[in-house]
Amino acid sequence: MTDGETGRTFRLAYVPGVTPAKWVNVWTERMPDVPLTLIAVPAAEAVRLLRDGGADAAFVRLPVDRDGLSVIPLYVETTVVVVPKDHAVAAADEVTIGDLADDEVFHPLDDTIEWTDRPGLAAFTRPETTADAVQLVASGTGLLLVPQSLARLHHRKDLTYRPMTDAPQSQVALAWPTEATTDLVEDFIGIVRGRTVNSSRGRTPAPAAEKPAQRKAPKPAQSGSARRGAPSSRGVPSNRRRKGNRPR
C-alpha cells in the first residue's frame, strides 16, 4: 500500500446476481486496515459509476463499453427460462429456443444477455427491470430468459426455471478505470485471481535476503607419503602387522 492510500476505503460495486462475499472475506483477512465498501448498482449503471469515480472496481456483466477500462473476464453463466410451476416447460429438464416458439417472452430494459434473435413471441410490454418482468411471469402473461444467478436472486415459490441449451450466455467480469490502477486495485485483482498472500500481485517483489554461504569444513591434511599414494596402516589386517625383533 502506498502512503497516499493509507486510511482509504476500497469501494467495490457489483451488479445484481453477483455474490462478492468470498472475495470480500479474503480481503478482510488480508487487509484488515483497509475497509471495503460494497455498492449495489444496476447493470446498466456500473460503467458510468466507475468513470465518475464512484467505485474503485466493479463486477459487471459483459459486454460493456471498455473505453478507458481494464476488464478481466471471470466466468460464464447458464441462461435459464423462468416459468410458472404449472407451465408445460416445467416438466422438461432442459429447454431449447425452439421450445419457446409459441410463448410470449419478456425483454426487460435492463436485460444483460446479448441477443441476435430473441426467442419466442414479443410480449405485450417491455418491463423496466428484471424484477418487474419476474412479477409479470408470475401473473401468467409470459416467460423470461435470464442468467441463472438472477433467477435465483428473484426466486418465488410459484415460479421455477430450466436451463437453456442453445441460448447466448452472460459473462461476469471485473472492471476498473485503467488510469486508476492503484495498489489497492492490484491487491483485489490478486484476490480475484486466487493469488496467495505472498504473491507479488504484479508488483516488483522485494529482493529476498541472501543467506550466508555455508562454509565447507576443511579436508584433513595428508602426509607426504599419503599424497604419493603410499599405503596407510589403517585397515591393514592384524596378521600382516610388523612384529618386534625375534630373540636370538
Side-chain angles (χ1 to χ4, degrees):
M1 188 189 315
T2 63
D3 292 339
E5 289 173 335
T6 303
R8 280 194 57 190
T9 296
F10 186 71
R11 301 160 302 164
L12 177 65
Y14 65 100
V15 299
V18 176
T19 306
K22 62 180 181 180
W23 298 298
V24 172
N25 289 339
V26 175
W27 176 277
T28 302
E29 293 174 0
R30 294 187 187 178
M31 312 284 288
D33 297 330
V34 183
L36 187 150
T37 300
L38 288 172
I39 305 170
V41 59
E45 298 179 14
V47 169
R48 183 173 62 184
L49 181 70
L50 288 173
R51 291 189 175 133
D52 290 345
D56 298 296
F59 288 111
V60 301
R61 289 189 183 275
L62 301 181
V64 296
D65 181 2
R66 300 193 181 198
D67 185 29
L69 297 180
S70 295
V71 178
I72 301 177
L74 298 177
Y75 59 90
V76 175
E77 284 196 70
T78 299
T79 298
V80 301
V81 56
V82 180
V83 301
K85 283 190 173 180
D86 58 356
H87 193 280
V89 166
D93 293 329
E94 296 178 334
V95 183
T96 65
I97 290 177
D99 294 332
L100 307 180
D102 298 327
D103 288 286
E104 292 189 4
V105 178
F106 291 110
H107 184 197
L109 296 177
D110 65 352
D111 187 12
T112 58
I113 299 175
E114 193 172 26
W115 296 96
T116 302
D117 296 309
R118 288 195 58 81
L121 306 173
F124 68 94
T125 185
R126 287 199 66 183
E128 183 174 349
T129 67
T130 296
D132 294 336
V134 170
Q135 297 292 333
L136 291 171
V137 173
S139 69
T141 55
L143 311 182
L144 175 65
L145 279 73
V146 292
Q148 184 169 303
S149 64
L150 289 182
R152 291 173 176 170
L153 178 65
H154 299 290
H155 171 71
R156 290 174 51 115
K157 293 182 178 180
D158 52 350
L159 299 180
T160 188
Y161 59 86
R162 294 293 181 268
M164 301 287 299
T165 61
D166 56 354
Q169 296 177 315
S170 174
Q171 188 169 25
V172 173
L174 179 68
W176 68 95
T178 302
E179 294 184 355
T181 307
T182 64
D183 279 354
L184 292 183
V185 171
E186 289 283 6
D187 285 324
F188 191 74
I189 292 170
I191 290 172
V192 170
R193 283 183 163 170
R195 294 173 183 155
T196 64
V197 67
N198 294 323
S199 170
S200 64
R201 300 181 299 278
R203 308 180 195 176
T204 303
E210 295 184 1
K211 296 182 179 180
Q214 294 183 349
R215 299 180 59 185
K216 295 183 179 180
K219 294 182 179 180
Q222 294 179 327
S223 66
S225 61
R227 288 195 297 270
R228 291 193 298 270
S232 170
S233 63
R234 183 180 180 183
V236 177
S238 60
N239 60 354
R240 295 182 59 187
R241 292 177 182 171
R242 297 177 61 185
K243 299 180 178 180
N245 294 332
R246 296 179 181 180
R248 290 179 183 259

